[in-house]
Amino acid sequence: MTPEELLKRLDAPLSLRKKVGYMALALAGLAGSSLIGLLWATEPGLPPRTMVAFAVLMAIGLCWAAFGGWAVTRRTPMFAQDRVVAGWLGLGAWLLFTVGALVITTLRHKLAPSLIVVVLALGVLTIANLRTARRRRAALLRRKEELSQPRGR
């Protein structure tokens, strides 16, 4: 493949497969937020910690829905920017979950070792995902820059 052909492939917008995936993500985020909101609206007298948990879960779902909509509507190549944004969203969701879980369990119970294992495992996966996404984006941008340079003879 020539550098010109490779540049054309790098500059291409999202494939249909990726667009369908991001649309499914947007719909899943909306569906999850809607179902939690429906449950919240139909259950009177919930404890404050449950209302806060529902609000956080709805916010996370809406963020993923917004991300899916943003990715689908992009008409320019992203060079893995979508992966980096998803990595940051995942990190934010993990942080919200971690803080919420720790606050609720320490106020109500003693800290369970299983919760610590789950939180740490999710944190490691989230950070690894973000790091991989950032490296992938940097590599693609470097490759684009290399291919864009005029070739000397």
Side-chain angles (χ1 to χ4, degrees):
M1 183 177 294
T2 68
E4 291 78 22
E5 291 171 335
L6 193 54
L7 264 176
K8 281 183 184 178
R9 285 191 67 194
L10 286 175
D11 284 337
L14 284 178
S15 67
L16 179 62
R17 184 174 148 241
K18 281 199 167 207
K19 283 184 181 183
V20 168
Y22 284 128
M23 198 65 211
L25 175 69
L27 291 174
L30 280 176
S33 292
S34 298
L35 289 173
I36 292 168
L38 206 65
L39 180 62
W40 191 358
T42 58
E43 291 294 326
L46 290 172
R49 67 181 177 276
T50 304
M51 289 191 280
V52 169
F54 280 4
V56 167
L57 289 172
M58 285 179 64
I60 290 171
L62 290 173
C63 284
W64 283 111
F67 167 71
W70 169 80
V72 168
T73 58
R74 294 286 299 212
R75 299 198 187 282
T76 60
M78 290 201 241
F79 298 105
Q81 182 180 12
D82 52 337
R83 293 179 184 189
V84 174
V85 172
W88 282 110
L89 277 174
L91 183 66
W94 172 74
L95 286 171
L96 278 173
F97 168 77
T98 300
V99 169
L102 291 175
V103 166
I104 288 172
T105 55
T106 54
L107 290 177
R108 303 274 303 161
H109 314 285
K110 64 179 182 172
L111 201 57
S114 59
L115 177 66
I116 294 170
V117 169
V118 168
V119 165
L120 289 177
L122 288 174
V124 167
L125 287 173
T126 301
I127 292 167
N129 185 37
L130 178 58
R131 188 171 179 202
T132 301
R134 292 182 70 186
R135 284 184 172 178
R136 175 75 173 139
R137 177 165 170 75
L140 283 173
L141 291 175
R142 268 194 315 273
R143 183 70 172 140
K144 180 187 177 203
E145 186 63 32
E146 289 170 5
L147 292 171
S148 299
Q149 299 294 324
R151 295 189 314 187
R153 293 184 189 234

